[in-house]
Amino acid sequence: MNLAHGLFSTPWFIAGYVLFGAVLAWTLVGVDYQGFMRQPLRQHLFFGASIAVMLLWLIRAGVTPGFGIHLLGITALTLLLGWRLAMAGAVLALIGMAVIGVEEWITLGLAGVLLVAVPVAVTQTVWRLIDRFLPANLFIYILGCGFFGAAIATATTRLTVGGLLLATGTADWPLISEQYLPVALLTLFPEGFINGMIIAAFAAYRPDWLATLDIRRYLDR
């Protein structure tokens, strides 16, 4: 969802920058920069995936003025790059959207919290739970992390945005229930399908590209 300037007051956007800046700083501190620079493949995947996410965000459906919902693609990005690089890659996509004029610069901090940090955190949590408690089965990884992980991350993101709109008085319940939630719910299946298919393709043809897939555990059996 694009967060138009008129949706929230300026203090909310400032708070978004402060919060997302803190989360991003904590994220980037833990990145293995030396290892990243020694692996050209990871660099190509990082920049290519970031551009792909940005292109996906350009395809959006308008609900009402100020409401524009698009697929996220964050789950596939997280499973491919790992959560730290996924955060950084999504930031590049956000900046790209602002550069071409699709998003407003003032909204990037809040968008980063709601549309990047939340789905990345949910995807990482789902992956950790599946990796720890379920059998090491490639089908479970693809379906659980890719399809259902994306659907859960998207649902959490949409509900968080809707809750914030209600809490701030930006939108009332009739608007949320009649126009926002129906369209948001319609994105759950395509989000899961697209992310699941991407992860399935990588798992089948390039499993070594997936940072979250332990090849020795899932494939060398």
Side-chain angles (χ1 to χ4, degrees), residues 15 42 46 51-52 78 91-92 135-136 145 149 178 193-194 208 212 220:
R42 301 305 297 173
F46 173 76
I51 293 173
T78 304
V91 168
L92 290 184
C145 298
E178 295 173 9
F193 179 79
I194 289 176
D208 55 308
T212 55
D220 295 344

Side-chain angles (χ1 to χ4, degrees), residues 140-184:
I140 293 177
Y141 172 82
I142 294 171
L143 188 64
C145 298
F147 182 86
F148 287 107
I152 294 170
T154 301
T156 305
T157 299
R158 305 303 186 203
L159 290 175
T160 302
V161 173
L164 185 60
L165 291 172
L166 283 174
T168 58
T170 302
D172 55 18
W173 176 245
L175 177 62
I176 294 293
S177 62
E178 295 173 9
Q179 299 191 48
Y180 174 70
L181 286 181
V183 177

Side-chain angles (χ1 to χ4, degrees), residues 121-141:
V122 173
T123 298
Q124 178 72 5
T125 300
V126 171
W127 169 66
R128 285 292 188 187
L129 291 174
I130 289 176
D131 188 65
R132 180 172 182 179
F133 295 107
L134 295 184
N137 182 284
L138 190 60
F139 179 75
I140 293 177
Y141 172 82

Side-chain angles (χ1 to χ4, degrees), residues 10 12 19 38 42 46 56 66 74 87 96 100 106 117 135-136:
T10 300
W12 278 100
L19 179 57
R38 289 196 300 266
R42 301 305 297 173
F46 173 76
L56 181 65
I74 296 296
M87 287 280 292
I100 64 177
I106 192 173

Side-chain angles (χ1 to χ4, degrees), residues 22-33 84:
V23 172
L24 188 60
W26 173 65
T27 299
L28 296 180
V29 165
V31 174
D32 180 9
Y33 294 101
R84 292 185 185 276

